[in-house]
Amino acid sequence: IFFFLMIRRPPRSTQSRSSAASDVYKRQVSTQSTWGIKRKKINSKMKHNNVIPNVHLRKHWSKFVRTWFNQPARKRRRLETRRNRAAELFPRPVQALRPVVRLSTQRYNKKQRLGRGFTLEEIRKAGLQPLFARSIGVTVDHRRKNRSVEAFNANVQRLLAYKEKLILFPRREGKPKKGLVNDTTADTKTLQVTQNRDRAVFGAPVLKLREKPVKITKEMKDTNVYSDCMYNHIYSCLLYTSD
């Protein structure tokens, strides 16, 4: 006994007659003439028994668009807030005095910026106390440490310059006191003062990245900089281990 297995094929479709489960034919344009140039269009026909493409591009994108039409009003509001704060602090400076520090890592340590606060050593070297320094508009950071003598001296000079230009009003009018910074003896009503609105109070010093040309001497040529640096590095390591 022989058994024959027959597989039914889907109905074939033609251009005049097509079935729903078969391919979809598209018109074939033989040639198109544009500016005297004949271009042949390829017959783009779908292959395989796939779903007819019917893309729905209704994603309601307008709900996810974020506008910023209130930007001019926000700008005006920030300006008025700064002005109101300055009026409340008058005649005190708008910002507190901050130190000048270096940026971290080797990549950025050539640049300078304003730090969080002065160290306790810098405050005491300038003849102030931490609590009193905070009361006259000087920031204090007990976590920061001094790593270089140059930065330490620069911040101390910054504090001394601030003390020289500081005019401290007495708490009670007409009764000035003496202390780390003496109260002014002038009449506060007739005294003409201007409020400091600078962000840094004193502008941060501008670094000179370029050095002036110097004539090379024989001593410079005979000096081996690499060996000197290595010697100082090894000496510092040995000194650290011996301690």
Side-chain angles (χ1 to χ4, degrees):
I1 300 172
F2 297 95
F3 295 96
F4 295 95
L5 181 63
M6 297 181 63
I7 301 176
R8 183 183 178 184
R9 296 180 59 186
R12 295 185 179 182
S13 59
T14 60
Q15 284 186 335
S16 60
R17 179 184 177 186
S18 61
S19 60
S22 61
D23 300 339
V24 177
Y25 284 91
K26 293 185 178 180
R27 293 182 179 178
Q28 178 179 359
V29 181
S30 59
T31 56
Q32 285 184 347
S33 178
T34 55
W35 294 292
I37 302 175
K38 291 185 177 181
R39 297 181 179 178
K40 189 175 181 180
K41 191 173 183 180
I42 302 174
N43 184 15
S44 56
K45 183 176 62 174
M46 295 183 61
K47 294 182 179 180
H48 310 295
N49 190 16
N50 298 327
V51 181
I52 299 175
N54 188 14
V55 181
H56 294 273
L57 294 177
R58 298 188 181 93
K59 304 296 183 183
H60 303 288
W61 58 269
S62 58
K63 295 192 301 183
F64 306 102
V65 175
R66 185 173 183 179
T67 58
W68 200 26
F69 299 126
N70 59 347
Q71 190 268 339
R74 289 286 183 87
K75 181 180 178 181
R76 183 69 183 179
R77 187 175 69 179
R78 290 194 299 268
L79 177 62
E80 292 177 355
T81 302
R82 290 195 300 268
R83 288 177 178 176
N84 295 335
R85 181 175 179 272
E88 292 176 0
L89 294 176
F90 185 84
R92 291 177 291 174
V94 176
Q95 300 293 336
L97 184 67
R98 299 184 182 277
V100 178
V101 298
R102 296 273 180 174
L103 273 68
S104 59
T105 70
Q106 279 187 331
R107 182 174 183 178
Y108 301 106
N109 60 6
K110 306 178 188 64
K111 299 181 180 181
Q112 290 182 343
R113 65 173 179 85
L114 297 177
R116 180 181 291 273
F118 292 89
T119 59
L120 301 179
E121 291 78 10
E122 294 169 351
I123 294 291
R124 294 190 178 98
K125 184 68 176 179
L128 299 174
Q129 293 296 329
L131 293 178
F132 179 76
R134 288 192 177 97
S135 66
I136 60 174
V138 179
T139 57
V140 181
D141 185 9
H142 66 277
R143 294 175 292 263
R144 192 168 70 86
K145 298 180 181 179
N146 295 109
R147 300 296 185 184
S148 64
V149 181
E150 292 82 1
F152 175 79
N153 294 332
N155 287 325
V156 170
Q157 293 299 323
R158 187 174 172 85
L159 286 171
L160 294 176
Y162 181 77
K163 284 176 59 178
E164 292 178 1
K165 296 185 178 182
L166 181 64
I167 300 176
L168 192 62
F169 286 12
R171 290 181 179 271
R172 296 184 179 180
E173 188 175 353
K175 295 183 179 180
K177 291 185 178 181
K178 294 184 179 181
L180 299 176
V181 177
N182 297 331
D183 296 343
T184 180
T185 57
D187 188 6
T188 57
K189 294 183 179 180
T190 59
L191 188 63
Q192 298 293 332
V193 294
T194 57
Q195 188 179 27
N196 190 326
R197 296 191 178 187
D198 190 6
R199 178 176 176 271
V201 183
F202 295 156
V206 180
L207 290 176
K208 296 181 180 179
L209 300 179
R210 291 189 177 183
E211 297 289 341
K212 294 183 178 180
V214 180
K215 188 176 181 180
I216 299 176
T217 60
K218 184 180 179 181
E219 184 181 358
M220 293 180 182
K221 293 181 180 179
D222 296 339
T223 304
N224 192 342
V225 180
Y226 176 76
S227 62
D228 292 345
C229 292
M230 290 300 297
Y231 175 79
N232 294 331
H233 175 67
I234 295 172
Y235 179 75
S236 61
C237 291
L238 293 175
L239 185 64
Y240 178 77
T241 54
S242 61
D243 293 343

